[in-house]
Amino acid sequence: MDADKDTYQFHPERTHQGLALVIANFTEGEDRRGGADSDLKYMKKTFKRLGFKVDCHKNVTKSDLVSLLNGCSQHMLTSYDCFVFAISSHGMEFVQKDKMGNSVQQHVIKMFDGEYIYTKDILDYFTDRKCKALKNKPKLFFIQACRIPETKSTHDQYDAGVGFDSGISTHNKKGGQDQRTTRDKTDFGGSSGGTETDSDEESDVSDTDVEEDESSLSDSDIEPTAKGQGAGGNGDSNSHSAADENENASGVTADLEDDIDPAKRRRLYPLESGGSGDDIDPARGRKIYPPAPLEFTLVPCHNDMLIMFASPQGHYAFRNKTDGSYMLQLLYKCVEKYYANGGLAQNQTNFLDVLRDVTTQMSEMKFMGSKEYTIVPCIVHKLRKDVIFTQGKSMGSTKFTFKLSEIISTLGMSFFTWSNKN
């Protein structure tokens, strides 16, 4: 096998594997996502371990994101051999009609100013035509956000298990009332129209293998966005807010700002109470009646791209309200497992095998307490070659290689001391 033909090639003199743009939304504010700060730490440490230059941001508005994507795709990637985009936020799927009248779901991500951006539009910035600097180079996208359709975000469908893999609700009832757990939450958004009441204490994430002490994230590492204020950019004309999509196939409109279904006078999902457990991140949904027909989700995957969603189409993405999102936690742990101190030096692991380990471990986990649902990440890719992260000649100053040389030096000194004594 010719390694040069079957593996993406990285410049031997590189100082970084590539550039990683990392975003965690709703670390504060009305739609705060408990554990989002931990998500940011996990993402940063994951890609630093892999040797990426990591550009961290939190609470990014739509216009800010457009500016960041424009800057990356047009100017910042000329000297990099790989690109990573990772975001942790609220999400959902909008339903649209195509030219043939079929229902098509478009995945969207909610930004900190309440605006939505289509995932397909994010991917479109990095096609071969629009980002020539990354042509024939791997582009990896990690999306921690729910994929539940807005038409299925009601209390009734939530209780019926819609949006969970098993489709069966097994939660217990006592005294005629549901006993809900607060251990799990999802990434669909606006859990109860107010702030979450979970603990502010973050999980203890080891930082022994990254370049600097990351027990806290400094302003130089993370660029927060002014609330509701963009940093420039014209946005994308195809992206819009959920408020613009209030008409169903039958022309029936619904405006349920108070989260009450007027027909049944019952409160709509989400109803999760506060607590220090797990969470989901659905963006605030609206009742559309009658239910939409069978739909499919359109997420275009372009050349040399990989997209990893935290959940399959039509399902919730789970997050622990203290420790952060499960997919991002496991991604960090698997990267730590495969690329331990000095692990890049002689590495021959295809990165797809690392991601498969993540999905395997998530498939063995249960969420939402007594409901015991299983959600497995979904990976879509058009990678033509193996992605093998190795050690560039100019990457010796990074801490994961420094620790290896430190160990070798210590062993050598110990041998010298032992030789003198004998």
Side-chain angles (χ1 to χ4, degrees):
M1 182 177 69
D2 190 337
D4 289 346
K5 291 183 178 180
D6 297 305
T7 305
Y8 286 103
Q9 296 301 297
F10 293 80
H11 196 284
E13 301 292 338
R14 65 191 179 279
T15 56
H16 296 92
Q17 306 285 19
L19 176 66
L21 177 60
V22 169
I23 296 170
N25 274 343
F26 303 101
T27 62
E28 60 183 43
E30 188 172 289
D31 288 336
R32 177 175 176 265
R33 302 167 57 243
D37 283 316
S38 293
D39 282 357
L40 194 61
K41 291 174 64 177
Y42 279 119
M43 290 187 287
K44 180 180 180 182
K45 295 184 179 198
T46 295
F47 299 114
K48 276 189 172 292
R49 167 62 72 89
L50 291 172
F52 282 80
K53 180 178 179 180
V54 183
D55 184 18
C56 293
H57 299 263
K58 63 181 179 179
N59 300 329
V60 176
T61 65
K62 180 182 174 182
S63 60
D64 288 331
L65 179 61
V66 168
S67 296
L68 287 170
L69 295 174
N70 271 321
C72 284
S73 61
Q74 300 301 316
H75 308 292
M76 297 175 61
L77 295 172
T78 55
S79 60
Y80 294 104
D81 294 321
C82 184
F83 174 69
V84 165
F85 176 84
I87 188 168
S88 172
S89 189
H90 295 307
M92 64 161 54
E93 292 179 347
F94 286 156
V95 180
Q96 296 179 328
K97 293 289 184 179
D98 62 15
K99 294 180 180 180
M100 303 298 295
N102 299 315
S103 294
V104 179
Q105 294 177 177
Q106 299 281 2
H107 186 257
V108 295
I109 301 172
K110 186 176 182 179
M111 304 309 295
F112 191 65
D113 57 355
E115 293 293 315
Y116 290 86
I117 186 166
Y118 285 95
T119 301
K120 68 180 181 66
D121 292 337
I122 295 175
L123 303 173
D124 190 56
Y125 280 93
F126 303 97
T127 62
D128 290 346
R129 181 174 62 86
K130 293 188 177 181
C131 184
K132 299 185 184 301
L134 288 179
K135 187 174 182 179
N136 300 321
K137 298 179 181 180
K139 299 164 277 283
L140 313 176
F141 298 81
F142 299 87
I143 313 294
Q144 171 64 40
C146 279
R147 301 180 68 185
I148 187 75
E150 61 172 341
T151 56
K152 297 180 179 179
S153 60
T154 67
H155 185 179
D156 286 343
Q157 298 196 43
Y158 176 75
D159 278 343
V162 174
F164 299 94
D165 266 0
S166 67
I168 301 173
S169 177
T170 61
H171 59 277
N172 299 322
K173 290 189 176 183
K174 291 184 179 180
Q177 294 184 346
D178 293 349
Q179 301 299 308
R180 296 183 181 274
T181 176
T182 59
R183 183 179 66 81
D184 291 316
K185 296 290 283 182
T186 66
D187 278 314
F188 187 64
S191 55
S192 60
T195 58
E196 295 182 13
T197 58
D198 53 296
S199 171
D200 290 330
E201 182 181 357
E202 295 182 358
S203 60
D204 181 16
V205 183
S206 170
D207 56 31
T208 58
D209 50 11
V210 292
E211 297 180 27
E212 69 276 350
D213 179 10
E214 297 176 7
S215 58
S216 62
L217 297 172
S218 64
D219 291 340
S220 61
D221 295 323
I222 304 170
E223 298 185 18
T225 302
K227 289 34 169 198
Q229 298 297 322
N234 296 323
D236 191 289
S237 58
N238 293 327
S239 299
H240 52 82
S241 67
D244 296 327
E245 300 237 348
N246 61 355
E247 186 169 352
N248 66 356
S250 302
V252 180
T253 61
D255 182 11
L256 302 177
E257 295 294 335
D258 59 353
D259 289 75
I260 299 294
D261 178 3
K264 297 183 179 181
R265 299 307 300 170
R266 70 170 67 229
R267 181 167 292 278
L268 300 182
Y269 176 84
L271 290 179
E272 286 296 299
S273 62
S276 58
D278 293 343
D279 206 350
I280 58 178
D281 276 324
R284 185 180 299 279
R286 291 168 291 110
K287 174 80 171 187
I288 296 180
Y289 190 84
L294 182 64
E295 302 148 350
F296 63 93
T297 302
L298 179 63
V299 180
C301 185
H302 303 286
N303 293 338
D304 305 294
M305 279 189 180
L306 177 146
I307 310 159
M308 186 173 188
F309 289 96
S311 65
Q313 170 193 342
H315 292 79
Y316 296 104
F318 285 95
R319 160 177 51 85
N320 185 278
K321 293 168 67 178
T322 301
D323 298 333
S325 304
Y326 288 100
M327 182 186 78
L328 299 177
Q329 290 183 56
L330 288 175
L331 178 61
Y332 168 75
K333 292 176 181 178
C334 288
V335 165
E336 187 178 49
K337 168 184 172 182
Y338 286 89
Y339 307 91
N341 296 325
L344 289 175
Q346 303 297 326
N347 176 55
Q348 293 298 318
T349 302
N350 184 1
F351 191 59
L352 275 173
D353 292 336
V354 180
L355 301 184
R356 182 173 58 186
D357 198 352
V358 175
T359 61
T360 298
Q361 292 191 44
M362 279 199 69
S363 70
E364 298 170 351
M365 300 175 67
K366 302 296 183 182
F367 306 100
M368 299 303 285
S370 61
K371 290 188 177 183
E372 295 188 346
Y373 293 105
T374 298
I375 297 294
V376 181
C378 175
I379 298 175
V380 181
H381 78 88
K382 287 181 69 175
L383 297 176
R384 298 174 294 111
K385 304 179 181 182
D386 292 344
V387 180
I388 298 179
F389 295 119
T390 56
Q391 185 65 49
K393 293 181 180 179
S394 299
M395 293 170 61
S397 60
T398 53
K399 193 168 183 179
F400 46 75
T401 53
F402 172 78
K403 288 181 71 66
L404 178 63
S405 62
E406 185 179 33
I407 293 171
I408 294 174
S409 176
T410 301
L411 290 175
M413 182 62 68
S414 298
F415 179 77
F416 177 76
T417 304
W418 179 83
S419 298
N420 286 342
K421 289 181 178 180
N422 294 274

